[in-house]
Amino acid sequence: RCVKMVTEKVTLKRIVVFNLVLLICGFVYLYVNPWIETKITFSKEAVSTSVPDSRLEEYTLTVRGDEIQFDHSYCKSVAVSQSEQHEGCPSLFIIGTRKGGTTSLINYLSKHPNFKVANPGGGLQSGETFFFNRHDKFDDSTWRTYLSNFPKDSNANLSGESTVFYSTNCQVPNRIQRACGSKAKIVYLLRNPYRRFESNYLMRVKAKWYGPKSDINAIFEAEWKRLSVVLGSRYNFNQRTINMSVALDLNCAVQGGAHLLYDGLYLAFLAKWLCVWPAENMLVINSEEFFKMPGKIVQQVLLFLGLDNLSDETLSAITSRVYNEGIHSKSVLLNSRNRMLIQNLYEPFISKLLDLLQWTSSVDWVY
């Protein structure tokens, strides 16, 4: 009996110790590791002052605005705003697309010692302000409210924010131009619109936007009906090609960020930005390339901003974490009818966009 009691006590002690170790490991993973990661990237050794000869060649993964063969004759009806030139304007705006990797990109950039982001913290809302899709007037009080989003104790030379509503809200380009001029850099991540639609749907399911019986086909059909009503005579859903004047006319048709299908019409939103913003200050990124090679894309964005590159070790460390990662499910599939409808909607826009960006031979956005 004594031997049995001692054995039971030893076993219980091992279980307690094992659970304690698991608890400590979990704490380190969730809280200490992100803190260490953030601190590491702000060290002086993290910045590489040498510029490899191949850096400019790596721009093949992205497209600068001045490389896009865009016909500005379509922009005659697009107004250009006069600037009020407020102080403290950000150096960078990441404008979208939703579920395209914007949260990860702004968090990676936040690790650079010479770059500060709005509302830092490494979380879901890091980098977001929603300011220019909500405000049309920029008096001193309103502008102070905007600047309060950025850290005051930072010695960084450049700053930036990331709000996905800025790509789909047609008034934002003129608002930023009026408040800050056109010197800021614009970065636009574009993801396969079919995958973007599914990912956005799953994000809303997770956030309990929909009831338990609202599957992807029911949501698609509701969104399709809304889009058909809103676009009305603006767009013929049966057309197989699209020209830029029609694409531009689709701006402002739907409240930005409120429609799963409309948000995938990238051509319309990019055309508006190209009409308003200096082409050399725009960079378009393929989200799928960013997902596969985040370190390479971060290097290109740093080059675009004129910032020193980060060391390979630092880039590897900061891009090892994915922020606001999407949900993947093979069971989320549209039925054959709805698949045909979404393909008929997106294919003309995809074809024109890939041709515009010269991605036709390298990007295959299919359902």
Side-chain angles (χ1 to χ4, degrees):
R1 182 180 297 177
C2 290
V3 172
K4 184 178 180 181
M5 290 176 61
V6 170
T7 302
E8 289 176 349
K9 287 183 178 179
V10 171
T11 302
L12 180 61
K13 183 177 180 181
R14 286 180 177 175
I15 293 173
V16 171
V17 171
F18 179 73
N19 287 331
L20 184 60
V21 170
L22 283 178
L23 183 63
I24 293 173
C25 288
F27 176 81
V28 170
Y29 177 79
L30 290 173
Y31 299 101
V32 179
N33 184 55
W35 180 84
I36 293 174
E37 175 189 301
T38 302
K39 294 298 179 183
I40 243 176
T41 57
F42 276 90
S43 65
K44 292 182 179 179
E45 291 75 15
V47 177
S48 172
T49 55
S50 62
V51 180
D53 294 337
S54 61
R55 267 186 89 185
L56 290 177
E57 295 176 3
E58 291 170 354
Y59 254 120
T60 55
L61 300 177
T62 59
V63 178
R64 282 177 49 137
D66 50 7
E67 298 172 331
I68 299 174
Q69 301 299 316
F70 181 70
D71 186 354
H72 282 79
S73 65
Y74 291 110
C75 303
K76 294 177 181 178
S77 61
V78 179
V80 177
S81 301
Q82 296 297 316
S83 174
E84 299 173 7
Q85 292 293 334
H86 288 279
E87 293 185 0
C89 288
S91 315
L92 169 69
F93 293 94
I94 300 176
I95 63 173
T97 183
R98 187 186 309 278
K99 309 309 298 176
T102 57
T103 306
S104 285
L105 180 57
I106 195 68
N107 276 283
Y108 298 158
L109 294 175
S110 73
K111 305 302 189 291
H112 196 287
N114 289 323
F115 188 83
K116 63 180 179 180
V117 302
N119 301 317
L124 179 61
Q125 305 300 322
S126 182
E128 294 183 321
T129 70
F130 305 99
F131 181 79
F132 287 100
N133 62 286
R134 293 174 177 170
H135 295 277
D136 188 49
K137 300 184 184 302
F138 310 111
D139 55 54
D140 291 343
S141 176
T142 305
W143 194 249
R144 282 196 298 271
T145 300
Y146 178 59
L147 294 182
S148 69
N149 290 291
F150 296 88
K152 299 291 189 297
D153 57 349
S154 173
N155 294 320
N157 299 322
L158 301 182
S159 62
E161 65 148 303
S162 173
T163 303
V164 293
F165 288 93
Y166 290 177
S167 60
T168 54
N169 187 322
C170 66
Q171 299 180 47
V172 167
N174 296 96
R175 289 175 179 177
I176 295 178
Q177 188 179 61
R178 181 152 49 86
C180 298
S182 304
K183 294 182 179 180
K185 306 287 188 178
I186 304 298
V187 168
Y188 194 6
L189 293 107
L190 301 180
R191 182 182 183 181
N192 180 328
Y194 303 112
R195 301 285 84 82
R196 196 218 68 80
F197 171 80
E198 292 174 349
S199 183
N200 204 167
Y201 162 77
L202 289 169
M203 181 191 76
R204 291 185 175 188
V205 170
K206 182 180 179 181
K208 302 187 186 311
W209 281 43
Y210 308 127
K213 295 183 179 180
S214 298
D215 68 5
I216 190 169
N217 285 287
I219 296 302
F220 173 86
E221 288 159 11
E223 297 272 313
W224 181 266
K225 184 176 181 180
R226 286 180 54 215
L227 188 65
S228 301
V229 171
V230 171
L231 295 188
S233 60
R234 290 192 186 197
Y235 184 69
N236 178 5
F237 285 84
N238 295 316
Q239 65 188 60
R240 306 276 20 101
T241 60
I242 185 170
N243 63 48
M244 204 62 69
S245 60
V246 172
L248 279 166
D249 189 48
L250 297 182
N251 277 278
C252 299
V254 178
Q255 180 184 354
H259 201 290
L260 295 181
L261 288 172
Y262 181 72
D263 283 6
L265 304 181
Y266 309 139
L267 180 68
F269 315 134
L270 178 61
K272 174 62 184 287
W273 277 95
L274 287 170
C275 282
V276 174
W277 215 258
E280 66 273 13
N281 289 342
M282 293 186 63
L283 185 68
V284 181
I285 299 172
N286 180 1
S287 292
E288 278 76 22
E289 295 293 335
F290 177 56
F291 298 153
K292 289 189 296 184
M293 297 177 285
K296 294 287 186 182
I297 297 298
V298 171
Q299 282 183 332
Q300 292 176 14
V301 175
L302 293 176
L303 175 61
F304 180 58
L305 293 173
L307 289 170
D308 289 331
N309 195 15
L310 295 173
S311 67
D312 291 342
E313 182 181 0
T314 301
L315 280 171
S316 178
I318 65 175
T319 58
S320 62
R321 178 182 176 187
V322 178
Y323 296 82
N324 192 20
E325 186 172 8
I327 306 168
H328 307 280
S329 175
K330 293 182 179 180
S331 63
V332 177
L333 293 173
L334 292 175
N335 60 39
S336 58
R337 177 183 178 274
N338 291 337
R339 190 179 302 120
M340 180 190 68
L341 289 174
I342 196 173
Q343 288 174 326
N344 288 345
L345 171 65
Y346 282 150
E347 279 180 358
F349 290 89
I350 291 174
S351 178
K352 187 74 172 180
L353 178 67
L354 297 186
D355 185 58
L356 183 69
L357 299 175
Q358 301 179 50
W359 283 356
T360 305
S361 61
S362 58
V363 175
D364 188 19
W365 282 346
V366 295
Y367 189 80

